[in-house]
Amino acid sequence: AEYKSETPILKMAGHAWEPYISNQLPANGLAVNLVTAVLTRAGYQVEMEFMPWQRVGEGLSTGDVDISVGSWYNETRAKELYFTDPYLTNELVIVKRKQDPLNFNTPNEFKDYIDSKGYRLGVFKDYGYGELFDEIAPLVSLNYFKYCTNMLRDVATKKSDIALIDHWTASNSLKNNENIADHLEVIPSALISLGLHVTISLQREDHKEIALAFNKTLKVMKEDGSYNKILSKHNFPTLK
């Protein structure tokens, strides 16, 4: 094979999802920072572009986008895209109004409690929440949202009863909206935990090679402390 001097370029895309992915944040948010650091160290050059979720998906299938910053695994997606190992875990929690006695330690306790109570649950549109969510969905009526603040405001103003949201996204949003936060509380037990993966377009002939390089470098960075350094730079909290 002839010697290639230039670093392979990966066109990466993601939709704004604070504090993980955002062009308003240092290094474009924790997820973008981590993925870029891993791939750069693995020998790639990453070019990041922000776009709506739908366009990310279209770009991956046409090959206009090489990789997506963050996706949760599901079988449908796995037929259309190539997944890396997870590089973060998203702990999804329930946010409720302070007066609501709802509490749980396990998903089954949650399902038993909400069954037949007519709860209205706020979720994000077009997110693949996984199999456990598919068991919960029939027990509630779903309200769909594009923005976190609107989702939480609707719980505070009683248009929804509870919201399912990543714990860091929730605490970040509540910190920035104290008037909403006064009415709400986060139930500390994670209801759903989902690994966050990079997905690679199957249009890239080297998709397996990219994933392998990513997985290997991620492991090295976890071992040498550089992974944790990036987490603490972004003040990433871990659920107790």
Side-chain angles (χ1 to χ4, degrees):
E2 62 182 86
Y3 178 69
K4 272 205 258 180
S5 60
E6 76 269 20
T7 315
I9 291 174
L10 293 174
K11 285 176 294 196
M12 179 159 84
H15 68 301
W17 177 37
E18 292 193 13
Y20 293 96
I21 304 172
S22 167
N23 53 7
Q24 309 293 309
L25 291 171
N28 287 328
L30 171 62
V32 179
N33 194 174
L34 267 178
V35 172
T36 306
V38 173
L39 288 168
T40 304
R41 190 156 157 184
Y44 295 91
Q45 191 182 326
V46 178
E47 292 175 356
M48 175 64 193
E49 197 185 332
F50 290 87
M51 55 182 77
W53 184 238
Q54 200 178 349
R55 267 188 58 211
V56 178
E58 286 163 7
L60 287 166
S61 52
T62 59
D64 291 336
V65 170
D66 296 316
I67 59 176
S68 159
V69 184
S71 291
W72 295 329
Y73 183 88
N74 69 38
E75 284 176 14
T76 317
R77 285 181 187 167
K79 290 189 181 90
E80 298 158 5
L81 303 162
Y82 201 78
F83 278 75
T84 64
D85 290 343
Y87 62 89
L88 279 173
T89 300
N90 293 122
E91 305 277 14
L92 306 189
V93 294
I94 290 287
V95 179
K96 62 167 190 171
R97 286 186 293 280
K98 281 182 176 162
Q99 313 87 301
D100 186 339
L102 165 65
N103 210 342
F104 64 89
N105 292 306
T106 64
N108 280 338
E109 284 178 16
F110 174 73
K111 286 193 296 193
D112 289 345
Y113 187 92
I114 59 163
D115 195 5
S116 316
K117 287 202 176 71
Y119 268 91
R120 295 162 301 172
L121 171 65
V123 292
F124 286 121
K125 199 172 168 21
D126 302 326
Y127 277 39
Y129 289 103
E131 288 173 15
L132 179 60
F133 178 73
D134 296 339
E135 297 172 20
I136 291 164
L139 308 174
V140 293
S141 53
L142 295 173
N143 291 346
Y144 291 100
F145 295 89
K146 258 173 94 167
Y147 303 106
C148 172
T149 313
N150 299 2
M151 189 194 287
L152 296 176
R153 184 181 295 128
D154 270 17
V155 177
T157 58
K158 303 188 176 180
K159 290 180 187 156
S160 290
D161 299 303
I162 48 179
L164 176 65
I165 189 164
D166 169 79
H167 82 286
W168 193 30
T169 306
S171 62
N172 193 60
S173 188
L174 292 170
K175 202 167 68 198
N176 297 332
N177 296 281
E178 283 180 11
N179 55 333
I180 299 176
D182 286 347
H183 302 278
L184 303 177
E185 68 183 29
V186 176
I187 298 178
S189 312
L191 181 62
I192 299 175
S193 297
L194 296 168
L196 193 63
H197 307 253
V198 173
T199 49
I200 308 164
S201 169
L202 298 180
Q203 301 292 333
R204 290 265 330 189
E205 289 180 2
D206 57 348
H207 58 266
K208 287 185 179 165
E209 194 186 315
I210 296 166
L212 211 62
F214 180 89
N215 296 344
K216 204 166 119 186
T217 309
L218 175 64
K219 195 165 177 285
V220 170
M221 287 177 69
K222 282 184 171 182
E223 284 162 4
D224 73 8
S226 50
Y227 171 89
N228 278 339
K229 212 171 184 170
I230 296 172
L231 292 193
S232 54
K233 190 175 87 179
H234 291 267
N235 301 314
F236 181 63
T238 43
L239 269 188
K240 298 295 164 278

